[in-house]
Amino acid sequence: MSHCAVMKDSEYHKLYRLEDRHWWYVGHYHIYAKLLELHCPAEVRGKVLDAGCGTGGFMNYLRERYDPQRLVGVDISEEALGFCARRGLKDTRLCSVEELPFGEGYFDLVISLDVLYHARVLDDIDALRELARVTKKGGYLLLNLPAFPILRGRHDVAVEGARRYRKREVEEKLKKTGFTPIRISYSNFFLFPVMLLYRLWSRWFPGDEAEPVSDLSLPPQRINQALSWLLRLESKMIVRFPLPWGGSLTALARKL
């Protein structure tokens, strides 16, 4: 899954319809909320940037839960920002995370969910430096990234994903760009074996699709609720200790 990578218009429409209900998004929102409320409860109510906001699902979550002083979203897709406008999210910019139209140290909290891995981000280190530039001293950065290259599959191809990450790599990149990691943990810990088998199976038996399609679809209600519950459980675990593997990698860091 991805929050905000550049996709075909049909994928944006699916994301807009599903992200408020789909277990992957709902569950991850709980993980992000647990980390933000524990480590930076004031900053999440200050000036907040969603760098790569997609169709605005998490921006809407932030607005309803924390009512930030200012909430800004940026994305390189006009289609995605159009869906943000449908949610009433008007403070958005059409731009790349590698070239942000804001002054140095403007934001208390910068969020970038499933963006740095994308093919259109030419250099993830440059992108992190730009995110650091607009983060105030003492401010925070929240990242989510796809994990483990072995999990690369048709979904990555469909959303133009170019990279998957390991924990040590993310830690080194954060330190190199001026951040101090506070918590770096894998997520989708319980589902990792299933995800691995599914991705390997789809790689060995790719099917007859004319072009790759993403994995974004809503499962039956009871399954959706159960999977969301698993991620809620993981959110309680992650604030206590990092999980050793998973399909995603979540990092909270501070600019010192």
Side-chain angles (χ1 to χ4, degrees), residues 49-237:
L49 172 66
D50 190 340
C53 60
T55 60
F58 193 58
M59 284 184 71
N60 190 58
Y61 180 89
L62 290 169
R63 178 178 60 182
E64 293 180 352
R65 191 176 182 99
Y66 304 111
D67 189 24
Q69 175 188 344
R70 185 180 182 191
L71 179 60
V72 185
V74 304
D75 205 280
I76 63 173
S77 167
E78 289 188 58
E79 179 79 10
L81 295 182
F83 285 114
C84 288
R86 290 193 194 184
R87 298 181 189 271
L89 299 165
K90 302 294 180 64
D91 198 352
T92 58
R93 303 287 189 279
L94 183 67
C95 66
S96 167
V97 296
E98 294 174 278
E99 194 171 352
L100 297 169
F102 307 106
E104 293 189 14
Y106 181 77
F107 291 101
D108 302 296
L109 170 65
V110 173
I111 296 166
S112 189
L113 306 177
D114 298 282
V115 175
L116 298 184
Y117 82 110
H118 197 268
R120 297 197 193 185
V121 177
L122 300 180
D123 189 319
D124 56 0
I125 289 289
D126 285 347
L128 279 170
R129 288 196 177 104
E130 182 68 349
L131 297 179
R133 182 186 67 80
V134 301
T135 305
K136 75 173 186 180
K137 186 176 182 180
Y140 291 83
L141 171 69
L142 176 68
L143 293 177
N144 199 73
L145 297 163
F148 293 111
I150 196 173
L151 291 179
R152 180 171 174 81
R154 65 180 185 176
H155 178 83
D156 300 75
V157 177
V159 300
E160 300 182 50
R163 313 169 188 91
R164 282 183 168 268
Y165 294 84
R166 294 179 181 271
K167 180 179 177 181
R168 184 182 298 273
E169 177 187 6
V170 172
E171 183 177 5
E172 291 173 354
K173 288 177 183 287
L174 286 169
K175 290 178 178 178
K176 187 174 182 179
T177 53
F179 290 103
T180 297
I182 295 173
R183 171 71 77 208
I184 304 177
S185 176
Y186 294 104
S187 59
N188 281 308
F189 167 76
F190 293 111
L191 290 177
F192 181 76
V194 177
M195 295 172 67
L196 178 59
L197 288 173
Y198 173 74
R199 289 293 168 87
L200 291 175
W201 177 269
S202 63
R203 191 179 303 162
W204 294 332
F205 304 97
D208 300 324
E209 295 94 346
E211 59 183 22
V213 294
S214 77
D215 298 334
L216 183 59
S217 61
L218 191 66
Q221 183 178 5
R222 289 187 178 180
I223 295 176
N224 193 61
Q225 290 175 341
L227 294 173
S228 177
W229 181 85
L230 280 178
L231 282 179
R232 288 180 184 229
L233 176 60
E234 289 186 21
S235 74
K236 297 177 181 180
M237 298 166 67

